[in-house]
């Protein structure tokens, strides 16, 4: 059972545009939602994370929006750059097993010139 | 952030041989480390949780005799793929939670295993 659903599978955005990736979860016990960025042949790197007690978190060009009632959260990349081209994974975990992340299926982002 | 070093970054081996992958936390201690497997263009699947000084915990469907995990110290965990076969070819990634908060997982750079 896929507990974290991620969409779209792939995304092409022009330089300067906004990239939006969405995730939905089923388990209401999840209380930590990080986003990871992965370049080919490399391990994932933590980008930004949010807890359910806030509806939005912003760090630089990256923003997480969280909708607890809808059990959805999304990543917005403002002013997308070619260097942002990578695969993005959302994830979720439960208190007490915080490091045991359940990952989404990933979104391959390509930012064109 | 914390650094997790994984070695080797890629390995090619013959079918039937064993391959050892090392995962080190460089600037922090990790009593727990996680091993993931990732197929091309797919998500990360947790294989097992490595516990320092005790047996690893394997996820359902992962053969513990096939994927041997040893967590001998607070900074080193190893994954040995025993009697490797072509279907074991995959990208293996380790991770460790930063000691300041168990939630922030730091990942190694991964090991691409190709079994001929």
């Amino acid at each position: 059972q896929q507990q974290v659903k991620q969409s779209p599978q792939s995304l092409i955005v022009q330089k300067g545009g906004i990239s939006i990736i969405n995730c939905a979860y089923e388990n209401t016990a999840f209380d930590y939602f990080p986003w990871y960025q992965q370049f080919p042949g490399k391990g994932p790197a933590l980008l930004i994370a949010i807890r359910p007690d806030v509806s939005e978190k912003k760090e630089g060009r990256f923003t997480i929006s969280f909708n607890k009632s809808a059990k959805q959260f999304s990543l917005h990349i403002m002013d997308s750059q070619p260097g942002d081209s990578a695969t993005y994974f959302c994830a979720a975990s439960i208190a007490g097993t915080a490091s045991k992340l359940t990952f989404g299926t990933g979104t391959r982002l390509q930012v064109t010139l | 952030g914390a650094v997790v070093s994984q070695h080797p970054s890629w390995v090619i081996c013959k079918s039937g041989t064993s391959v050892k992958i090392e995962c080190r936390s460089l600037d922090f201690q990790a009593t727990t480390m996680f091993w993931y497997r990732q197929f091309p263009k797919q998500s990360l699947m947790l294989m097992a949780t490595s516990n320092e000084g005790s047996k690893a915990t394997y996820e359902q469907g992962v053969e513990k005799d096939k994927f041997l995990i040893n967590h001998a110290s607070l900074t080193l965990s190893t994954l040995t793929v025993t009697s490797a076969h072509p279907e074991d070819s995959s990208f293996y990634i380790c991770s460790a939670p930063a000691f300041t908060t168990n939630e922030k997982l730091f990942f190694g750079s991964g090991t691409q295993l190709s079994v001929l």
Side-chain angles (χ1 to χ4, degrees):
Chain A
Q1 181 184 10
Q2 179 62 45
Q3 293 192 49
V4 181
K5 295 183 180 180
Q6 185 172 344
S7 63
Q9 242 182 357
S10 61
L11 181 62
I12 300 175
V13 173
Q14 276 196 323
K15 180 182 176 181
I18 302 174
S19 304
I20 302 175
I21 304 171
N22 301 299
C23 282
Y25 62 98
E26 299 165 5
N27 191 339
T28 54
F30 285 146
D31 65 350
Y32 176 69
F33 304 90
W35 283 89
Y36 284 84
Q37 179 189 56
Q38 184 180 30
F39 293 104
K42 300 295 182 183
L46 179 63
L47 204 57
I48 187 172
I50 197 168
R51 288 186 171 279
D53 53 349
V54 296
S55 60
E56 187 176 283
K57 183 174 182 180
K58 184 177 181 179
E59 290 183 2
R61 296 185 294 110
F62 301 93
T63 300
I64 299 179
S65 296
F66 186 83
N67 186 329
K68 188 175 182 178
S69 60
K71 293 187 287 185
Q72 295 175 347
F73 58 109
S74 60
L75 175 69
H76 294 231
I77 305 175
M78 313 299 286
D79 186 26
S80 298
Q81 300 296 313
D84 296 330
S85 298
T87 299
Y88 292 82
F89 292 95
C90 63
S93 65
I94 300 172
T97 60
S99 297
K100 194 167 182 178
L101 292 169
T102 297
F103 283 88
T105 48
T107 297
R108 299 186 76 190
L109 170 65
Q110 182 182 352
V111 181
T112 61
L113 292 171
Chain B
V3 177
V4 175
S5 175
Q6 188 172 340
H7 179 81
S9 56
W10 60 270
V11 58
I12 301 172
C13 70
K14 291 183 179 180
S15 186
T17 61
S18 295
V19 174
K20 179 185 284 188
I21 303 170
E22 291 187 349
C23 182
R24 295 180 185 273
S25 56
L26 294 188
D27 50 0
F28 66 101
Q29 294 181 334
T31 56
T32 302
M33 290 187 179
F34 300 90
W35 288 95
Y36 290 83
R37 183 174 184 176
Q38 185 179 32
F39 290 105
K41 299 182 182 180
Q42 293 191 25
S43 189
L44 289 80
M45 299 301 296
L46 180 65
M47 297 175 64
T49 302
S50 170
N51 304 297
E52 189 269 334
S54 63
K55 291 183 179 181
T57 305
Y58 290 82
E59 296 300 302
Q60 191 174 12
V62 178
E63 300 175 60
K64 56 184 68 176
D65 294 332
K66 175 82 170 163
F67 299 99
L68 298 180
I69 291 174
N70 183 277
H71 197 144
S73 76
L74 288 171
T75 59
L76 174 64
S77 175
T78 60
L79 169 67
T80 301
V81 183
T82 62
S83 186
H85 290 281
E87 58 266 29
D88 299 323
S89 298
S90 187
F91 192 57
Y92 294 88
I93 314 172
C94 69
S95 69
F99 64 92
T100 53
T101 163
N102 276 335
E103 292 176 333
K104 288 192 176 182
L105 264 190
F106 292 91
F107 285 82
S109 55
T111 298
Q112 181 63 53
L113 171 63
S114 296
V115 185
L116 304 177

